Amino acid sequence: MPAYPEVKTPKALADAPADYRRAVEKIVISHAINELHGARVFDEVAVAFAPTPYWKWLTCRVAMEEYGHHVRFFRLGKEIGVADDAMMPQTSDKRTLSIFDFPLQNWDEFCVIKLVADLAEIIQVEDLLECSYVPLRNAAKATLPEEKFHAKFGEQSVAENIETPEGKKHAQAALDAIFPSMPAFFGSDQSKNNETYRKFGIKFRTNGEMRADYLARVKRIVEDLGLAWAAA
Ligand SMILES: [Fe+2]
Ligand SMILES: [Fe+2]
């Protein structure tokens, strides 16, 4: 028995209870804002850092897909009546996630961000795959393989970067600098928003459950690469 009946179209959403509509809007807005902000401050910037034509090519693809994720969620928002401005982050917008405050300065850092931050995004998107609002479920289905590609990009680029002792030192330093902001990516264990999402079958896991899953998965990946797991 589903937690909440499926809502199949924007038209059906317009007829759904106001608090369900508001919950769908909130999650769409959050994805639209953060995909755009991340693309601007990390992925587009990283094209200039990429050391070879091969990595520039793949970084362009990652940047294109992150902008594409914004466009996908922006369209979803538009069709349910969300204002354009509400989905466009402004300078010092409090709605952007704290991970994006990291001042990206080099290629090593970007590769580690793709390694650890895009896995966090994968876990968020996976939780929308059975979402009761079907257009949002479909957006998640389209987004997931691309986020998996970004995380793979992170693994492969970090593996290449750490082939030399010097490179390994840089990657470890980047990981130690970036990782501490990752657990907060999942939000508070007592989040009211998360409780509402679960009540409506929009999402299924608590923030704490997603965070625990993330920490187990990222630890394995980091250790398999031969980097030290320094997370407290
Ligand atoms: Fe994305
Ligand atoms: Fe991504």
Side-chain angles (χ1 to χ4, degrees):
M1 179 75 182
Y4 195 84
E6 283 184 348
V7 176
K8 293 194 171 131
T9 61
K11 164 85 184 65
L13 183 67
D15 298 332
D19 44 356
Y20 179 83
R21 272 196 334 258
R22 184 65 204 134
V24 169
E25 281 171 19
K26 257 192 187 168
I27 203 155
V28 169
I29 289 169
S30 167
H31 277 268
I33 283 178
N34 284 292
E35 291 286 2
L36 177 57
H37 189 52
R40 282 173 174 164
V41 300
F42 289 163
D43 307 277
E44 186 175 339
V45 176
V47 176
F49 294 147
T52 62
Y54 173 78
W55 285 114
K56 279 196 193 292
W57 167 53
L58 287 189
T59 307
C60 284
R61 180 174 153 191
V62 171
M64 178 192 78
E65 289 176 352
E66 299 295 18
Y67 276 112
H69 296 167
H70 164 75
V71 170
R72 182 175 290 146
F73 284 95
F74 184 90
R75 284 182 181 150
L76 210 57
K78 268 211 92 81
E79 66 186 23
I80 61 174
V82 177
D84 292 8
D85 280 359
M87 296 186 281
M88 304 285 281
Q90 309 302 318
T91 318
S92 70
D93 195 315
K94 292 201 170 41
R95 298 170 302 169
T96 56
L97 294 163
S98 57
I99 173 70
F100 299 124
D101 298 339
F102 182 81
L104 179 71
Q105 282 171 355
N106 58 56
W107 177 241
D108 291 289
E109 291 171 347
F110 178 68
C111 298
V112 166
I113 285 168
K114 290 290 114 179
L115 180 77
V116 301
D118 287 58
L119 174 63
E121 184 59 18
I122 286 172
I123 287 172
Q124 293 285 356
V125 173
E126 281 173 347
D127 207 44
L128 289 170
L129 292 177
E130 302 295 327
C131 176
S132 55
Y133 183 53
V134 175
L136 184 50
R137 182 193 301 178
N138 292 339
K141 276 188 189 148
T143 303
L144 186 59
E146 293 169 351
E147 293 298 1
K148 284 186 173 166
F149 163 65
H150 304 168
K152 215 8 122 196
F153 169 105
E155 278 181 56
Q156 288 172 349
S157 57
V158 171
E160 186 179 296
N161 295 348
I162 63 178
E163 280 171 0
T164 64
E166 193 63 12
K168 193 165 180 178
K169 224 163 67 192
H170 289 155
Q172 186 69 54
L175 180 67
D176 295 346
I178 291 157
F179 191 79
S181 63
M182 286 311 306
F185 181 92
F186 292 90
S188 144
D189 287 359
Q190 279 83 40
S191 160
K192 279 274 161 224
N193 280 340
N194 176 270
E195 198 182 313
T196 307
Y197 297 149
R198 285 184 293 116
K199 179 175 91 182
F200 288 135
I202 293 170
K203 287 173 71 80
F204 295 87
R205 300 204 287 174
T206 65
N207 288 343
E209 285 166 342
M210 286 192 287
R211 184 172 10 254
D213 183 19
Y214 170 72
L215 289 172
R217 285 161 74 172
V218 76
K219 181 173 191 288
R220 221 168 27 239
I221 292 166
V222 163
E223 288 180 342
D224 283 354
L225 279 164
L227 291 169
W229 176 250

Coordinates of all heavy atoms in Angstrom, one line a residue, residues 1-10 13 20 24 27-28 31 72-73 76 79 124-145 200-204:
M1 N 0.9 -1.2 0.0 CA 0.0 0.0 0.0 C 0.9 1.3 0.0 O 1.7 1.4 0.9 CB -0.9 -0.1 1.3 CG -1.8 1.1 1.4 SD -3.2 1.1 0.4 CE -4.1 2.6 0.8
P2 N 0.8 2.1 -1.1 CA 1.7 3.3 -1.1 C 1.4 4.2 0.0 O 0.2 4.3 0.5 CB 1.4 3.9 -2.5 CG 0.2 3.3 -3.0 CD -0.1 2.0 -2.2
A3 N 2.4 5.0 0.5 CA 2.2 5.9 1.6 C 1.2 7.0 1.2 O 0.5 7.6 2.0 CB 3.5 6.5 1.9
Y4 N 1.1 7.3 -0.1 CA 0.3 8.4 -0.6 C -0.1 8.1 -2.0 O 0.7 7.5 -2.8 CB 1.1 9.7 -0.5 CG 0.2 11.0 -0.7 CD1 -0.4 11.5 0.5 CD2 0.1 11.6 -1.9 CE1 -1.2 12.6 0.4 CE2 -0.7 12.7 -2.0 CZ -1.4 13.2 -0.9 OH -2.1 14.4 -1.0
P5 N -1.3 8.4 -2.5 CA -1.7 8.0 -3.8 C -0.8 8.8 -4.8 O -0.4 9.9 -4.6 CB -3.1 8.4 -3.9 CG -3.4 9.3 -2.8 CD -2.4 9.0 -1.7
E6 N -0.5 8.2 -6.0 CA 0.3 8.8 -7.0 C -0.4 10.1 -7.5 O -1.7 10.1 -7.7 CB 0.4 7.9 -8.2 CG 1.5 6.8 -8.0 CD 1.7 6.0 -9.3 OE1 0.9 6.1 -10.2 OE2 2.7 5.3 -9.3
V7 N 0.3 11.1 -7.8 CA -0.2 12.3 -8.4 C 0.6 12.4 -9.7 O 1.8 12.6 -9.7 CB 0.1 13.6 -7.5 CG1 -0.3 14.8 -8.2 CG2 -0.6 13.4 -6.1
K8 N -0.2 12.2 -10.8 CA 0.5 11.9 -12.1 C 0.9 13.1 -12.9 O 1.8 13.0 -13.8 CB -0.4 11.0 -12.9 CG -0.5 9.6 -12.2 CD -1.0 8.5 -13.1 CE -0.9 7.2 -12.5 NZ -2.1 6.4 -12.5
T9 N 0.2 14.2 -12.8 CA 0.4 15.4 -13.7 C 0.4 16.7 -12.9 O -0.1 16.8 -11.8 CB -0.7 15.4 -14.7 OG1 -1.9 15.6 -14.0 CG2 -0.8 14.2 -15.6
P10 N 1.0 17.7 -13.5 CA 0.8 19.1 -12.9 C -0.6 19.5 -12.7 O -0.9 20.1 -11.6 CB 1.5 20.0 -13.9 CG 2.4 19.1 -14.7 CD 1.7 17.8 -14.8
L13 N -1.7 17.8 -9.6 CA -1.1 18.4 -8.5 C -1.8 19.7 -8.1 O -2.0 20.0 -6.9 CB 0.4 18.8 -8.8 CG 1.2 19.4 -7.6 CD1 1.4 18.4 -6.5 CD2 2.5 20.0 -8.1
Y20 N 0.5 19.3 0.4 CA 1.2 18.3 -0.5 C 1.9 19.1 -1.7 O 3.1 19.0 -2.0 CB 0.3 17.3 -1.1 CG 0.9 16.3 -2.1 CD1 1.6 15.2 -1.6 CD2 0.9 16.5 -3.5 CE1 2.2 14.3 -2.4 CE2 1.5 15.7 -4.3 CZ 2.2 14.6 -3.8 OH 2.8 13.7 -4.7
V24 N 6.0 19.5 -2.6 CA 6.6 19.2 -4.0 C 7.3 20.4 -4.4 O 8.4 20.3 -4.9 CB 5.5 18.7 -5.0 CG1 6.0 18.7 -6.4 CG2 4.9 17.4 -4.6
I27 N 10.8 20.9 -2.7 CA 11.9 20.0 -3.1 C 12.3 20.3 -4.5 O 13.5 20.3 -4.8 CB 11.4 18.5 -2.9 CG1 12.6 17.6 -2.8 CG2 10.5 18.0 -4.0 CD1 12.3 16.4 -2.0
V28 N 11.4 20.7 -5.4 CA 11.8 21.1 -6.8 C 12.6 22.4 -6.7 O 13.7 22.5 -7.4 CB 10.5 21.3 -7.7 CG1 10.9 21.9 -9.0 CG2 9.8 19.9 -7.9
H31 N 16.2 21.6 -5.5 CA 17.0 21.0 -6.6 C 17.4 22.0 -7.7 O 18.6 22.1 -8.1 CB 16.3 19.8 -7.2 CG 16.5 18.5 -6.4 ND1 17.5 17.6 -6.6 CD2 15.8 18.1 -5.4 CE1 17.4 16.6 -5.7 NE2 16.4 16.9 -5.0
R72 N 16.2 20.9 -15.9 CA 15.1 19.9 -15.8 C 14.2 20.2 -14.6 O 13.0 20.2 -14.7 CB 15.8 18.5 -15.5 CG 14.9 17.4 -15.4 CD 15.7 16.1 -15.3 NE 16.4 15.7 -16.6 CZ 17.6 15.2 -16.7 NH1 18.3 14.8 -15.6 NH2 18.0 14.9 -17.9
F73 N 14.8 20.6 -13.4 CA 14.0 20.9 -12.3 C 13.3 22.3 -12.4 O 12.2 22.5 -11.9 CB 14.9 20.8 -11.0 CG 15.1 19.4 -10.6 CD1 16.3 18.8 -11.0 CD2 14.2 18.7 -9.8 CE1 16.5 17.4 -10.6 CE2 14.4 17.4 -9.5 CZ 15.6 16.7 -9.9
L76 N 10.3 21.6 -14.3 CA 9.3 21.0 -13.5 C 8.6 22.0 -12.6 O 7.4 21.9 -12.4 CB 10.1 20.0 -12.6 CG 9.4 18.7 -12.1 CD1 8.9 17.9 -13.3 CD2 10.5 17.9 -11.3
E79 N 6.1 24.3 -14.6 CA 4.8 23.7 -15.0 C 3.9 23.5 -13.8 O 2.7 23.2 -14.0 CB 5.0 22.3 -15.8 CG 5.6 21.2 -15.0 CD 5.9 20.0 -15.9 OE1 6.1 20.1 -17.1 OE2 6.0 18.9 -15.3
Q124 N 20.4 11.2 -2.5 CA 19.2 12.1 -2.5 C 18.3 11.7 -3.7 O 17.1 11.6 -3.5 CB 19.6 13.6 -2.6 CG 20.3 14.1 -1.4 CD 19.4 14.4 -0.2 OE1 18.2 14.2 -0.3 NE2 20.0 14.7 0.9
V125 N 18.9 11.6 -4.8 CA 18.1 11.3 -6.0 C 17.4 9.9 -6.0 O 16.3 9.7 -6.3 CB 18.9 11.5 -7.3 CG1 18.1 11.0 -8.6 CG2 19.3 12.9 -7.5
E126 N 18.2 8.9 -5.4 CA 17.7 7.6 -5.3 C 16.4 7.6 -4.4 O 15.5 6.8 -4.7 CB 18.7 6.6 -4.6 CG 19.8 6.2 -5.5 CD 20.9 5.4 -4.8 OE1 21.0 5.4 -3.5 OE2 21.7 4.8 -5.5
D127 N 16.4 8.5 -3.5 CA 15.2 8.5 -2.6 C 14.0 9.1 -3.2 O 12.9 9.0 -2.7 CB 15.6 9.3 -1.3 CG 14.7 8.8 -0.1 OD1 14.6 7.6 0.1 OD2 14.2 9.7 0.6
L128 N 14.1 9.6 -4.4 CA 13.0 10.1 -5.2 C 12.4 9.2 -6.3 O 11.5 9.5 -7.0 CB 13.4 11.5 -5.8 CG 13.6 12.7 -4.9 CD1 14.2 13.8 -5.7 CD2 12.3 13.1 -4.3
L129 N 13.1 8.0 -6.4 CA 12.7 7.1 -7.5 C 11.3 6.5 -7.4 O 10.8 6.0 -8.4 CB 13.8 6.0 -7.6 CG 15.2 6.4 -8.0 CD1 16.1 5.2 -8.0 CD2 15.1 7.1 -9.4
E130 N 10.7 6.5 -6.2 CA 9.4 6.0 -6.0 C 8.4 7.2 -5.6 O 7.4 6.9 -5.0 CB 9.3 4.9 -5.0 CG 10.2 3.7 -5.2 CD 9.8 3.0 -6.5 OE1 8.6 2.9 -6.8 OE2 10.7 2.4 -7.2
C131 N 8.9 8.4 -5.8 CA 8.1 9.6 -5.4 C 6.7 9.6 -5.8 O 6.4 9.2 -7.0 CB 8.9 10.8 -5.9 SG 8.0 12.3 -5.6
S132 N 5.8 10.0 -4.9 CA 4.3 10.0 -5.3 C 4.0 11.0 -6.4 O 3.0 10.8 -7.1 CB 3.5 10.2 -4.0 OG 3.9 11.4 -3.4
Y133 N 4.8 12.1 -6.5 CA 4.5 13.0 -7.6 C 5.3 12.5 -8.8 O 6.6 12.6 -8.8 CB 5.0 14.4 -7.2 CG 4.6 15.4 -8.3 CD1 3.4 15.5 -8.9 CD2 5.6 16.2 -8.9 CE1 3.1 16.4 -9.9 CE2 5.3 17.1 -9.9 CZ 4.1 17.2 -10.4 OH 3.8 18.0 -11.5
V134 N 4.6 11.9 -9.8 CA 5.3 11.1 -10.8 C 6.2 12.0 -11.7 O 7.3 11.5 -12.0 CB 4.2 10.4 -11.7 CG1 4.8 9.7 -12.9 CG2 3.4 9.4 -10.8
P135 N 5.9 13.2 -12.1 CA 6.9 14.0 -12.8 C 8.2 14.2 -12.1 O 9.3 14.1 -12.7 CB 6.2 15.3 -13.1 CG 4.8 15.0 -13.0 CD 4.6 13.9 -12.0
L136 N 8.2 14.3 -10.8 CA 9.4 14.4 -10.0 C 10.2 13.0 -9.9 O 11.4 13.0 -10.0 CB 9.1 14.8 -8.5 CG 10.2 15.1 -7.6 CD1 11.2 16.0 -8.1 CD2 9.6 15.7 -6.3
R137 N 9.4 12.0 -9.9 CA 10.0 10.6 -9.9 C 10.7 10.5 -11.3 O 11.9 10.0 -11.4 CB 8.9 9.6 -9.9 CG 9.3 8.2 -9.9 CD 8.1 7.2 -10.1 NE 7.1 7.3 -9.1 CZ 6.0 6.6 -9.1 NH1 5.7 5.8 -10.1 NH2 5.1 6.8 -8.2
N138 N 10.1 10.9 -12.4 CA 10.7 10.8 -13.7 C 12.0 11.7 -13.8 O 12.9 11.2 -14.5 CB 9.7 11.1 -14.8 CG 8.6 10.1 -14.9 OD1 8.7 9.0 -14.4 ND2 7.4 10.5 -15.4
A139 N 11.9 12.8 -13.2 CA 13.1 13.7 -13.3 C 14.3 13.0 -12.5 O 15.4 13.1 -12.9 CB 12.8 15.1 -12.6
A140 N 13.9 12.4 -11.4 CA 15.0 11.7 -10.6 C 15.6 10.5 -11.5 O 16.8 10.3 -11.5 CB 14.4 11.1 -9.3
K141 N 14.7 9.8 -12.2 CA 15.1 8.7 -13.0 C 16.1 9.1 -14.1 O 17.1 8.5 -14.4 CB 13.9 8.0 -13.7 CG 13.3 7.0 -12.8 CD 12.2 6.1 -13.5 CE 11.5 5.3 -12.5 NZ 10.1 5.1 -12.8
A142 N 15.8 10.3 -14.7 CA 16.6 10.8 -15.7 C 18.0 11.4 -15.2 O 19.0 11.3 -15.9 CB 15.9 12.0 -16.5
T143 N 17.9 11.9 -14.0 CA 19.1 12.5 -13.3 C 20.1 11.5 -12.8 O 21.3 11.7 -12.8 CB 18.6 13.4 -12.2 OG1 17.7 14.4 -12.8 CG2 19.8 14.2 -11.6
L144 N 19.6 10.4 -12.3 CA 20.4 9.4 -11.6 C 21.6 8.9 -12.4 O 22.8 8.9 -11.9 CB 19.6 8.2 -11.0 CG 20.4 7.2 -10.2 CD1 21.0 7.9 -8.9 CD2 19.4 6.1 -9.7
P145 N 21.4 8.4 -13.6 CA 22.6 7.9 -14.4 C 23.7 9.0 -14.6 O 24.9 8.7 -14.6 CB 22.1 7.5 -15.7 CG 20.6 7.7 -15.7 CD 20.2 8.3 -14.4
F200 N 4.0 12.2 2.9 CA 3.4 12.3 1.5 C 3.9 11.3 0.5 O 3.6 11.4 -0.7 CB 3.5 13.7 1.0 CG 2.6 14.7 1.7 CD1 3.1 15.9 2.1 CD2 1.3 14.4 2.0 CE1 2.3 16.9 2.7 CE2 0.5 15.3 2.6 CZ 1.0 16.6 3.0
G201 N 4.9 10.5 0.9 CA 5.5 9.5 0.0 C 6.3 10.2 -1.1 O 6.4 9.7 -2.2
I202 N 6.8 11.4 -0.8 CA 7.6 12.1 -1.8 C 9.0 11.6 -1.6 O 9.7 11.3 -2.6 CB 7.6 13.6 -1.5 CG1 6.2 14.2 -1.9 CG2 8.6 14.4 -2.3 CD1 5.9 15.6 -1.4
K203 N 9.4 11.4 -0.4 CA 10.7 10.7 -0.1 C 10.4 9.6 1.0 O 9.3 9.5 1.5 CB 11.7 11.7 0.5 CG 12.2 12.7 -0.5 CD 13.1 13.8 0.2 CE 14.4 13.3 0.7 NZ 15.4 13.2 -0.3
F204 N 11.4 8.8 1.2 CA 11.2 7.6 2.0 C 12.1 7.4 3.2 O 11.7 6.8 4.2 CB 11.2 6.3 1.1 CG 10.1 6.4 0.1 CD1 10.3 7.0 -1.1 CD2 8.8 5.9 0.5 CE1 9.2 7.1 -2.0 CE2 7.8 6.0 -0.4 CZ 8.0 6.6 -1.7

